[in-house]
Amino acid sequence: MASLRDTVKDYQEELRDGIAWVAFWKTGRSWNAEYFHLEMGDYLYPEDRSRMEEIKQTDPAAVVVNGYYSGYLGEDMSLDELTAGVRRNYENGYSNIGEFIEAHDDRLPPELIEEARAAAHAAGLPFSEKTYRDGEEPDPYLFDGSMSMEDYALMHRMIEKERSERMEQPILSGYLSNLGKYTEGRPAGEWVSFPTTAEHLKEVFDRIGIDGKNYGELHITEYQSSIAGLAEN
Protein backbone atom coordinates (compact mmCIF):
# COMPACT_ATOMS: atom_id res chain seq x y z
CA MET A 1 0.00 0.00 0.00
CA ALA A 2 1.50 3.30 -1.11
CA SER A 3 1.05 6.32 1.14
CA LEU A 4 0.30 9.74 -0.30
CA ARG A 5 3.70 11.02 0.87
CA ASP A 6 5.56 8.20 -0.90
CA THR A 7 3.53 8.80 -4.06
CA VAL A 8 4.14 12.54 -3.98
CA LYS A 9 7.85 11.82 -3.43
CA ASP A 10 7.98 9.97 -6.75
CA TYR A 11 6.42 12.94 -8.55
CA GLN A 12 7.77 15.87 -6.56
CA GLU A 13 9.95 17.13 -9.41
CA GLU A 14 6.98 17.22 -11.80
CA LEU A 15 4.97 19.11 -9.18
CA ARG A 16 7.72 21.65 -8.62
CA ASP A 17 8.62 22.41 -12.25
CA GLY A 18 5.00 23.20 -13.17
CA ILE A 19 5.27 21.74 -16.68
CA ALA A 20 3.39 18.47 -16.33
CA TRP A 21 -0.03 17.89 -14.78
CA VAL A 22 -0.09 15.12 -12.19
CA ALA A 23 -3.16 13.03 -11.43
CA PHE A 24 -3.53 11.58 -7.93
CA TRP A 25 -6.15 8.98 -7.08
CA LYS A 26 -6.87 6.22 -4.59
CA THR A 27 -7.54 2.53 -5.03
CA GLY A 28 -8.69 1.31 -1.66
CA ARG A 29 -6.26 2.87 0.79
CA SER A 30 -3.38 3.03 -1.68
CA TRP A 31 -2.41 6.23 -3.54
CA ASN A 32 -1.48 6.32 -7.22
CA ALA A 33 -0.15 9.03 -9.52
CA GLU A 34 0.57 9.61 -13.20
CA TYR A 35 1.69 12.71 -15.07
CA PHE A 36 0.35 14.16 -18.32
CA HIS A 37 1.25 16.92 -20.78
CA LEU A 38 -1.19 19.08 -22.71
CA GLU A 39 -0.80 19.66 -26.44
CA MET A 40 -0.06 23.12 -27.87
CA GLY A 41 -3.73 24.14 -27.92
CA ASP A 42 -3.96 23.45 -24.15
CA TYR A 43 -6.01 20.33 -24.84
CA LEU A 44 -5.58 16.74 -23.78
CA TYR A 45 -4.16 14.28 -26.26
CA PRO A 46 -6.86 11.71 -27.14
CA GLU A 47 -4.96 8.85 -25.51
CA ASP A 48 -4.40 10.90 -22.33
CA ARG A 49 -8.06 11.86 -22.22
CA SER A 50 -8.99 8.18 -22.41
CA ARG A 51 -6.53 7.36 -19.64
CA MET A 52 -7.96 10.11 -17.41
CA GLU A 53 -11.45 8.78 -18.01
CA GLU A 54 -10.24 5.40 -16.71
CA ILE A 55 -8.77 7.05 -13.61
CA LYS A 56 -12.03 8.94 -13.07
CA GLN A 57 -13.95 5.67 -13.21
CA THR A 58 -11.61 4.21 -10.59
CA ASP A 59 -11.82 7.24 -8.30
CA PRO A 60 -14.27 10.07 -9.10
CA ALA A 61 -12.56 12.20 -6.42
CA ALA A 62 -9.19 12.04 -8.22
CA VAL A 63 -7.38 15.34 -8.71
CA VAL A 64 -5.13 16.71 -11.45
CA VAL A 65 -2.69 19.28 -10.11
CA ASN A 66 0.17 21.43 -11.31
CA GLY A 67 2.73 23.14 -9.11
CA TYR A 68 2.37 26.40 -11.01
CA TYR A 69 -1.38 26.61 -11.61
CA SER A 70 -2.95 24.71 -8.69
CA GLY A 71 -3.56 26.11 -5.24
CA TYR A 72 -1.57 25.00 -2.17
CA LEU A 73 1.39 23.92 -4.31
CA GLY A 74 4.60 25.69 -5.32
CA GLU A 75 8.09 25.18 -6.68
CA ASP A 76 9.85 26.00 -3.39
CA MET A 77 7.80 23.63 -1.20
CA SER A 78 9.27 20.74 0.72
CA LEU A 79 8.03 17.19 0.23
CA ASP A 80 5.77 17.45 3.30
CA GLU A 81 4.31 20.74 2.07
CA LEU A 82 3.63 19.27 -1.37
CA THR A 83 1.97 16.27 0.24
CA ALA A 84 -0.25 18.52 2.34
CA GLY A 85 -1.14 20.54 -0.75
CA VAL A 86 -2.20 17.50 -2.75
CA ARG A 87 -4.20 16.18 0.20
CA ARG A 88 -5.98 19.52 0.61
CA ASN A 89 -6.96 19.57 -3.09
CA TYR A 90 -8.23 15.99 -2.86
CA GLU A 91 -10.19 16.29 0.38
CA ASN A 92 -11.83 19.60 -0.58
CA GLY A 93 -12.75 18.61 -4.13
CA TYR A 94 -10.41 21.14 -5.73
CA SER A 95 -8.79 20.37 -9.12
CA ASN A 96 -11.19 17.47 -9.70
CA ILE A 97 -10.29 15.23 -12.60
CA GLY A 98 -13.76 15.44 -14.16
CA GLU A 99 -13.61 19.22 -14.28
CA PHE A 100 -10.08 19.04 -15.68
CA ILE A 101 -11.14 16.73 -18.51
CA GLU A 102 -14.07 18.98 -19.39
CA ALA A 103 -11.88 22.11 -19.39
CA HIS A 104 -9.24 20.58 -21.66
CA ASP A 105 -11.40 18.55 -24.03
CA ASP A 106 -11.52 19.79 -27.64
CA ARG A 107 -14.24 17.38 -28.73
CA LEU A 108 -17.33 19.06 -30.16
CA PRO A 109 -20.82 18.46 -28.78
CA PRO A 110 -22.42 15.47 -30.57
CA GLU A 111 -25.34 17.56 -31.85
CA LEU A 112 -22.97 20.00 -33.62
CA ILE A 113 -21.02 17.15 -35.17
CA GLU A 114 -24.18 15.51 -36.51
CA GLU A 115 -25.44 18.84 -37.87
CA ALA A 116 -22.18 19.37 -39.77
CA ARG A 117 -22.15 15.76 -40.96
CA ALA A 118 -25.68 16.12 -42.36
CA ALA A 119 -24.75 19.35 -44.16
CA ALA A 120 -21.68 17.72 -45.75
CA HIS A 121 -23.64 14.68 -46.90
CA ALA A 122 -26.41 16.89 -48.32
CA ALA A 123 -23.73 18.56 -50.45
CA GLY A 124 -22.37 15.17 -51.55
CA LEU A 125 -19.13 15.64 -49.59
CA PRO A 126 -17.34 13.37 -47.12
CA PHE A 127 -17.35 14.57 -43.51
CA SER A 128 -14.29 14.74 -41.27
CA GLU A 129 -14.35 15.88 -37.65
CA LYS A 130 -10.74 17.02 -38.07
CA THR A 131 -11.68 19.44 -40.86
CA TYR A 132 -14.71 20.75 -38.99
CA ARG A 133 -12.93 21.06 -35.63
CA ASP A 134 -9.59 22.68 -36.46
CA GLY A 135 -9.49 23.14 -40.24
CA GLU A 136 -6.94 20.38 -40.87
CA GLU A 137 -7.43 18.21 -43.93
CA PRO A 138 -7.36 14.48 -43.16
CA ASP A 139 -4.49 12.46 -44.60
CA PRO A 140 -6.10 10.60 -47.53
CA TYR A 141 -3.75 7.67 -47.02
CA LEU A 142 -4.25 7.33 -43.27
CA PHE A 143 -7.51 6.31 -41.61
CA ASP A 144 -7.27 8.19 -38.30
CA GLY A 145 -10.84 7.79 -37.09
CA SER A 146 -11.88 11.37 -37.87
CA MET A 147 -14.07 10.02 -40.71
CA SER A 148 -16.49 7.14 -40.96
CA MET A 149 -15.51 4.27 -43.25
CA GLU A 150 -18.24 5.41 -45.68
CA ASP A 151 -16.91 8.98 -45.76
CA TYR A 152 -13.34 7.70 -46.14
CA ALA A 153 -14.41 5.60 -49.15
CA LEU A 154 -16.27 8.60 -50.63
CA MET A 155 -13.18 10.79 -50.25
CA HIS A 156 -11.12 8.27 -52.21
CA ARG A 157 -13.75 8.01 -54.95
CA MET A 158 -13.63 11.80 -55.29
CA ILE A 159 -9.81 11.76 -55.41
CA GLU A 160 -9.82 9.14 -58.15
CA LYS A 161 -12.43 11.07 -60.14
CA GLU A 162 -10.41 14.27 -59.92
CA ARG A 163 -7.24 12.42 -60.93
CA SER A 164 -9.00 10.87 -63.94
CA GLU A 165 -10.37 14.24 -65.04
CA ARG A 166 -6.90 15.76 -64.86
CA MET A 167 -5.46 12.94 -66.93
CA GLU A 168 -8.09 13.53 -69.61
CA GLN A 169 -6.97 17.14 -69.99
CA PRO A 170 -3.94 17.85 -72.20
CA ILE A 171 -0.88 18.55 -70.08
CA LEU A 172 1.50 19.37 -72.93
CA SER A 173 1.18 19.82 -76.69
CA GLY A 174 4.03 19.52 -79.17
CA TYR A 175 4.35 20.10 -82.91
CA LEU A 176 5.67 16.82 -84.35
CA SER A 177 7.44 17.31 -87.64
CA ASN A 178 8.76 14.87 -90.26
CA LEU A 179 12.47 15.72 -90.16
CA GLY A 180 13.22 14.20 -93.56
CA LYS A 181 10.53 16.21 -95.35
CA TYR A 182 11.53 19.31 -93.40
CA THR A 183 15.11 19.10 -94.70
CA GLU A 184 13.74 18.57 -98.23
CA GLY A 185 11.81 21.80 -97.97
CA ARG A 186 8.47 20.01 -97.80
CA PRO A 187 7.52 20.43 -94.13
CA ALA A 188 4.88 18.09 -92.76
CA GLY A 189 3.80 18.12 -89.14
CA GLU A 190 0.92 18.10 -86.70
CA TRP A 191 0.14 19.22 -83.16
CA VAL A 192 -0.16 16.35 -80.67
CA SER A 193 -1.46 16.65 -77.11
CA PHE A 194 0.04 14.59 -74.28
CA PRO A 195 -0.71 12.25 -72.65
CA THR A 196 -1.68 10.31 -75.74
CA THR A 197 -1.83 6.71 -76.96
CA ALA A 198 0.32 4.62 -79.29
CA GLU A 199 -2.67 4.26 -81.63
CA HIS A 200 -3.10 8.02 -81.93
CA LEU A 201 0.62 8.54 -82.56
CA LYS A 202 0.49 5.91 -85.32
CA GLU A 203 -2.32 7.86 -87.01
CA VAL A 204 -0.29 11.09 -86.76
CA PHE A 205 2.81 9.40 -88.21
CA ASP A 206 0.76 8.09 -91.14
CA ARG A 207 -0.59 11.57 -91.86
CA ILE A 208 2.83 13.30 -91.78
CA GLY A 209 4.59 10.51 -93.68
CA ILE A 210 6.76 8.84 -91.05
CA ASP A 211 6.78 5.23 -92.21
CA GLY A 212 10.04 3.91 -90.75
CA LYS A 213 11.41 3.31 -94.26
CA ASN A 214 11.66 6.43 -96.38
CA TYR A 215 11.09 8.73 -93.44
CA GLY A 216 11.90 7.56 -89.94
CA GLU A 217 12.98 10.63 -87.99
CA LEU A 218 10.84 13.27 -86.37
CA HIS A 219 11.46 16.31 -84.25
CA ILE A 220 9.32 18.55 -82.09
CA THR A 221 9.66 22.19 -83.05
CA GLU A 222 7.29 23.82 -80.53
CA TYR A 223 5.66 23.14 -77.20
CA GLN A 224 2.53 24.52 -75.57
CA SER A 225 1.20 23.95 -72.06
CA SER A 226 -1.30 25.48 -69.67
CA ILE A 227 1.13 24.68 -66.83
CA ALA A 228 3.48 27.62 -66.30
CA GLY A 229 7.09 26.84 -67.18
CA LEU A 230 6.45 23.35 -68.52
CA ALA A 231 6.85 24.27 -72.20
CA GLU A 232 9.93 26.45 -71.65
CA ASN A 233 13.28 25.32 -73.06
Side-chain angles (χ1 to χ4, degrees):
M1 181 180 70
S3 68
L4 177 58
R5 188 179 189 278
D6 288 341
T7 305
V8 170
K9 181 179 180 181
D10 291 338
Y11 289 87
Q12 59 184 317
E13 294 307 317
E14 285 79 11
L15 287 172
R16 290 194 182 102
D17 64 29
I19 297 175
W21 291 84
V22 187
F24 289 91
W25 72 98
K26 294 178 72 175
T27 52
R29 299 176 61 187
S30 183
W31 284 91
N32 309 272
E34 189 172 333
Y35 69 85
F36 301 88
H37 291 95
L38 297 176
E39 60 175 314
M40 293 298 293
D42 206 32
Y43 294 114
L44 282 162
Y45 291 97
E47 60 272 20
D48 289 343
R49 183 177 60 238
S50 297
R51 176 60 181 142
M52 282 197 177
E53 292 285 2
E54 293 176 356
I55 295 171
K56 179 185 173 184
Q57 290 295 320
T58 301
D59 181 7
V63 295
V64 183
V65 293
N66 177 285
Y68 185 79
Y69 293 103
S70 302
Y72 313 111
L73 297 170
E75 61 181 349
D76 297 324
M77 286 185 170
S78 66
L79 174 58
D80 288 336
E81 290 171 328
L82 289 172
T83 302
V86 172
R87 187 182 301 278
R88 188 166 184 178
N89 276 277
Y90 185 89
E91 293 180 347
N92 289 279
Y94 306 141
S95 307
N96 180 265
I97 191 169
E99 297 173 355
F100 184 87
I101 294 172
E102 183 177 349
H104 299 279
D105 189 351
D106 66 342
R107 291 175 297 184
L108 295 168
E111 59 272 16
L112 288 181
I113 292 177
E114 291 310 312
E115 182 180 337
R117 191 191 313 276
H121 290 171
L125 300 172
F127 175 77
S128 165
E129 291 186 29
K130 183 187 292 291
T131 304
Y132 183 67
R133 183 181 64 223
D134 50 31
E136 294 183 11
E137 291 294 329
D139 185 339
Y141 303 106
L142 174 66
F143 182 74
D144 60 6
S146 66
M147 308 177 78
S148 68
M149 290 299 296
E150 292 77 14
D151 283 322
Y152 188 71
L154 175 58
M155 177 178 66
H156 275 270
R157 288 197 299 271
M158 293 178 66
I159 290 173
E160 288 302 318
K161 180 181 178 182
E162 181 181 356
R163 183 179 293 123
S164 297
E165 290 174 348
R166 286 202 306 266
M167 290 301 294
E168 291 174 359
Q169 298 174 355
I171 297 174
L172 179 70
S173 295
Y175 190 79
L176 273 63
S177 176
N178 184 321
L179 182 59
K181 288 189 176 183
Y182 179 81
T183 56
E184 294 172 357
R186 299 182 300 117
E190 187 173 319
W191 282 99
V192 177
S193 295
F194 301 96
T196 187
T197 64
E199 292 78 8
H200 180 63
L201 280 178
K202 176 65 169 55
E203 293 173 0
V204 173
F205 291 167
D206 289 343
R207 287 194 291 269
I208 65 177
I210 295 179
D211 55 12
K213 297 178 181 179
N214 298 317
Y215 299 99
E217 296 184 70
L218 64 89
H219 67 156
I220 301 177
T221 57
E222 292 184 64
Y223 292 97
Q224 292 180 353
S225 177
S226 58
I227 302 176
L230 186 60
E232 295 179 0
N233 293 329

